[in-house]
Amino acid sequence: MDQTAQRLDERDLLAHAFEYAAIGMVLVDREGRLLKTNRALRRMLGYASQEISQLALWAILHPDEAPGMRTVLASADKALTTVGSSASSMLEHRFLHKTGFYLWSQVSLSPVGDAAGTPQFWIMQLQDISEKKRMEKALRVSNDRIVKVIERMNDIFFVLDHRWQFVYLNQRAEAWFEKDQSQLLGRRWWDLLASADAARIRERAQAAYESKENTAFEIYISAKDQWYQIDLYPGVESISVYLKNIHKFKEAEEALTKSEEGFRELAEHSTDMIARLDEQGRFLYVSPICEHMLGYKRDDMIGTNVHDYVHADDVGAWEKIGADAVSPSDIFTATYRVRRRSGEYLWFESTYKFIQYDKSGHPRQLIAVSRDITERKKIERELIEANDQLSKLTAIDPLTGIANRRIFEEFFLKEWKRAFRTRRPLALLMLDVDFFKQLNDTYGHTYGDDCLKQVAQAIQSALKRPMDMVARYGGEEFAVILPETDTSGAEVVAEDIRRQVEQLRLPHATSQVHKLVTVSIGLASCMPEQERGARELLICADQALYAAKHAGRNCIVVGDPLDGDAVLRTP
């Protein structure tokens, strides 16, 4: 083939690649005239070829973004002609769809220069990121909602990072520490407490964080001269802390141990409802605030049973009280709904303790201090809803729409433990897009992102069972979890994935293994022999992927978690 024919073939190949690229592409001049568009761009914006050829860029670009784009296109900066340089632009702009709405696109701009290097034309690559923008907005709204809900709480709430430094405090917490949030962020909790208090709280908090189990305990904080219940909610890299003042309950308990008269004096003036009940749940005493809170006169309540007021669905909370009678020093908390005289229900939180026992050690009386937490329950519901929405958003990789690495790690450990309990095999696939850096350098990051989205969809379509999961592990790497799957079954799935990715027929001219996008796959499967050992399976699959890359790529390598051997499976 002579050089002229070779150049013609190359031009035909480039023209074909431009027209049938998976992402939108357009060639524009420095005045913004649309010289050539491809099929993906026309589909994205809803125009026919003849329609869009009559338009200028300014007719479809959002007016707020046109001035900046005019400046870029008119630039004569020779540095911009260096493809892949830091000067190459990655922008986010809104483009007008034919039907009248704007969609967000990620735009990659690559200049085409003349012999002197001065930009004459620009190749624009557009990828629709409207869904990503929607998710980002929803995430912001969800975060704002969570903050607003927490700020409405009447109790103290703050969040510490893994170094025990403040990362968030609500207004109640700021008032409690007597410092603004700006003065507290980055400081350690322990540094603001008396040494004796700090030592006791730190021991409990560190144990909760290491065990990842919610913990609640009571403590007298000397600097405040008050009793508090502290609830700790550990996360992956943080711990949430909730402080509730229980000093009134402690005062009532102390007053009762000294004298009945002292107890009544305290109870008569308390804004919380204080009551004494027998072992059957009958009221022996109730403080006068009951009339304001519930609408009943206290004389009418004496002798009645608490079950007469508790919502039918919450009776179990009170039935559990008898079972909780472990020792005279134990203090318990229950939340339940109580019916007012008007018929409506309030949420109550009762802190209670058994104060009299018979000779056999069975409880005879208890004291309960109750407060109306209806507003707090409403806040908690809103917080749960916001957290559910936030969890859904933070579980998804925004580019590919599949699970992200955090969710993969949680699901993988869960499935490992389940496989250990059920004595069933667990398989793991690690996948990598071949020569992805070269693909980005050749076609641009927008094309690379679109490639990852299509590869993710191809992997997902190869998974036939609801229990199987694919996640973006990082960059161009994916992970697939196959519960109850042995090596032979995992090989079938891996080959299906490899073939489906190849059949996407995504151009990759600079790949050293194929002119289309391909993937290399490392596979490992085992029968868990111990509850902890998932890391070994992950390492084995990752090493098998490494071997697949060195075996020529676009292939599958099976690793053996027991002896470390790897077996090549060629397509």
Side-chain angles (χ1 to χ4, degrees):
M1 181 184 294
D2 59 28
Q3 291 184 347
T4 301
Q6 183 177 353
R7 283 196 295 272
L8 287 172
D9 285 346
E10 289 175 353
R11 283 200 296 271
D12 288 343
L13 179 62
L14 289 172
H16 185 275
F18 181 92
E19 176 64 19
Y20 294 100
I23 60 172
M25 298 182 72
V26 56
L27 179 67
V28 299
D29 64 14
R30 291 174 62 184
E31 285 73 41
R33 288 187 288 266
L34 307 182
L35 304 179
K36 188 175 180 61
T37 61
N38 75 343
R39 183 173 61 173
L41 179 84
R42 296 191 294 271
R43 285 180 175 175
M44 181 173 24
L45 298 180
Y47 292 97
S49 178
Q50 187 175 3
E51 292 174 323
I52 201 167
S53 64
Q54 306 299 316
L55 301 176
L57 178 62
W58 322 119
I60 58 175
L61 183 65
H62 194 284
D64 292 348
E65 288 143 15
M69 183 64 76
R70 288 182 186 274
T71 301
V72 173
L73 296 188
S75 174
D77 187 352
K78 295 182 179 181
L80 290 175
T81 62
T82 305
V83 177
S85 73
S86 59
S88 295
S89 305
M90 288 292 290
L91 310 167
E92 291 184 353
H93 284 323
R94 287 163 289 180
F95 288 84
L96 182 65
H97 191 273
K98 182 182 177 180
T99 57
F101 69 91
Y102 282 95
L103 56 84
W104 277 98
S105 292
Q106 187 177 67
V107 182
S108 173
L109 282 170
S110 300
V112 179
D114 58 16
T118 302
Q120 298 298 310
F121 307 99
W122 294 83
I123 296 176
M124 299 176 62
Q125 300 181 69
L126 281 70
Q127 179 175 338
D128 185 356
I129 57 169
S130 300
E131 181 64 16
K132 174 188 172 186
K133 283 291 185 179
R134 186 197 68 77
M135 291 180 63
E136 288 176 350
K137 181 180 179 180
L139 185 60
R140 288 195 300 271
V141 170
S142 182
N143 275 325
D144 290 344
R145 185 180 177 191
I146 288 173
V147 170
K148 288 177 181 178
V149 167
I150 291 174
E151 289 299 334
R152 286 164 52 198
M153 293 174 61
N154 290 322
D155 293 299
I156 300 156
F157 179 86
F158 53 89
V159 181
L160 309 169
D161 64 15
H162 65 282
R163 298 181 298 272
W164 305 102
Q165 295 176 346
F166 292 103
V167 294
Y168 171 78
L169 304 93
N170 70 355
Q171 292 180 1
R172 290 280 181 174
E174 291 181 75
W176 194 77
F177 285 110
E178 299 178 359
K179 296 181 185 297
D180 293 333
Q181 188 157 180
S182 60
Q183 298 173 288
L184 292 166
L185 295 180
R187 296 188 64 180
R188 296 193 311 166
W189 186 16
W190 328 124
D191 298 338
L192 302 174
L193 299 171
S195 57
D197 297 337
R200 286 179 293 157
I201 294 175
R202 184 172 184 171
E203 181 181 359
R204 294 288 195 95
Q206 287 179 332
Y209 183 72
E210 291 171 4
S211 67
K212 301 301 181 189
E213 293 183 356
N214 297 343
T215 302
F217 60 93
E218 296 174 358
I219 187 170
Y220 174 78
I221 297 180
S222 56
K224 299 293 182 181
D225 191 25
Q226 299 275 304
W227 278 92
Y228 290 87
Q229 177 176 308
I230 299 180
D231 292 87
L232 304 171
Y233 304 97
V236 178
E237 293 290 336
S238 64
I239 186 166
S240 299
V241 183
Y242 173 78
L243 269 70
K244 181 177 69 174
N245 191 311
I246 59 168
H247 200 74
K248 287 183 179 178
F249 175 82
K250 288 290 187 178
E251 286 182 332
E253 178 188 6
E254 183 179 358
L256 186 58
T257 58
K258 290 182 178 178
S259 71
E260 181 76 17
E261 182 180 346
F263 168 75
R264 288 182 179 271
E265 177 68 21
L266 176 68
E268 298 289 305
H269 296 90
S270 174
T271 55
D272 289 338
M273 192 176 94
I274 299 177
R276 274 171 57 190
L277 302 96
D278 65 16
E279 71 274 17
Q280 301 300 322
R282 289 187 292 263
F283 287 103
L284 304 176
Y285 168 85
V286 60
S287 59
I289 196 68
C290 68
E291 186 169 355
H292 172 73
M293 295 175 72
L294 298 176
Y296 301 103
K297 294 185 179 297
R298 62 171 171 174
D299 289 343
D300 295 337
M301 292 187 69
I302 301 299
T304 62
N305 196 291
V306 68
H307 293 86
D308 299 334
Y309 307 93
V310 176
H311 193 286
D313 293 343
D314 300 333
V315 169
W318 270 94
E319 290 179 343
K320 185 174 178 289
I321 289 178
D324 285 340
V326 178
S327 73
S329 61
D330 288 331
I331 297 175
F332 304 95
T333 300
T335 59
Y336 51 94
R337 284 162 291 181
V338 182
R339 190 185 68 256
R340 300 188 79 242
R341 188 181 187 88
S342 62
E344 66 176 316
Y345 280 90
L346 301 178
W347 275 100
F348 258 30
E349 180 180 73
S350 295
T351 304
Y352 57 91
K353 179 181 179 180
F354 295 96
I355 55 174
Q356 289 188 18
Y357 289 77
D358 60 21
K359 294 180 180 179
S360 302
H362 298 296
R364 295 183 57 194
Q365 288 188 20
L366 62 86
I367 178 175
V369 178
S370 305
R371 63 171 60 177
D372 181 358
I373 60 165
T374 305
E375 180 63 20
R376 196 182 89 190
K377 275 293 185 179
K378 180 181 177 183
I379 292 172
E380 286 176 358
R381 282 197 302 271
E382 293 178 4
L383 187 59
I384 289 170
E385 291 172 3
N387 267 324
D388 287 344
Q389 178 67 14
L390 185 60
S391 296
K392 291 176 183 176
L393 293 172
T394 57
I396 297 173
D397 174 58
L399 175 64
T400 61
I402 61 176
N404 59 22
R405 181 165 178 170
R406 179 179 68 84
I407 295 302
F408 161 79
E409 290 175 348
E410 292 178 4
F411 188 77
F412 182 49
L413 289 176
K414 176 184 174 182
E415 286 302 320
W416 177 271
K417 292 179 179 179
R418 189 171 74 87
F420 173 74
R421 292 193 309 270
T422 60
R423 308 303 302 148
R424 302 286 290 174
L426 178 66
L428 177 65
L429 311 182
M430 301 297 290
L431 302 85
D432 196 89
V433 178
D434 296 326
F435 299 106
F436 188 73
K437 181 181 183 302
Q438 291 86 334
L439 181 136
N440 269 337
D441 292 343
T442 304
Y443 299 95
H445 290 280
T446 306
Y447 178 80
D449 287 348
D450 188 66
C451 166
L452 292 177
K453 289 171 66 176
Q454 294 199 49
V455 168
Q457 292 167 6
I459 298 171
Q460 187 71 66
S461 66
L463 305 181
K464 309 302 183 185
R465 305 176 304 173
M467 68 175 69
D468 300 334
M469 190 193 79
V470 58
R472 187 179 180 195
Y473 196 69
E476 69 273 22
E477 193 170 357
F478 298 86
V480 176
I481 300 171
L482 302 173
E484 301 182 13
T485 306
D486 58 16
T487 300
S488 60
E491 285 187 70
V492 173
V493 176
E495 174 55 25
D496 192 18
I497 291 172
R498 190 203 64 77
R499 186 175 62 255
Q500 289 205 36
V501 171
E502 195 173 88
Q503 290 174 352
L504 292 172
R505 302 195 65 77
L506 300 174
H508 191 349
T510 50
S511 171
Q512 298 175 28
V513 66
H514 204 300
K515 293 308 177 185
L516 300 173
V517 169
T518 59
V519 292
S520 299
I521 303 176
L523 179 159
S525 177
C526 72
M527 187 81 72
E529 297 295 334
Q530 53 183 350
E531 190 169 357
R532 296 184 179 181
R535 178 174 170 79
E536 284 71 19
L537 181 62
L538 180 61
I539 291 173
C540 182
D542 196 53
Q543 290 175 341
L545 172 60
Y546 182 81
K549 292 180 181 179
H550 285 264
R553 305 192 190 231
N554 191 25
C555 63
I556 302 164
V557 169
V558 179
D560 187 340
L562 297 179
D563 57 23
D565 288 344
V567 180
L568 173 65
R569 300 287 193 267
T570 56

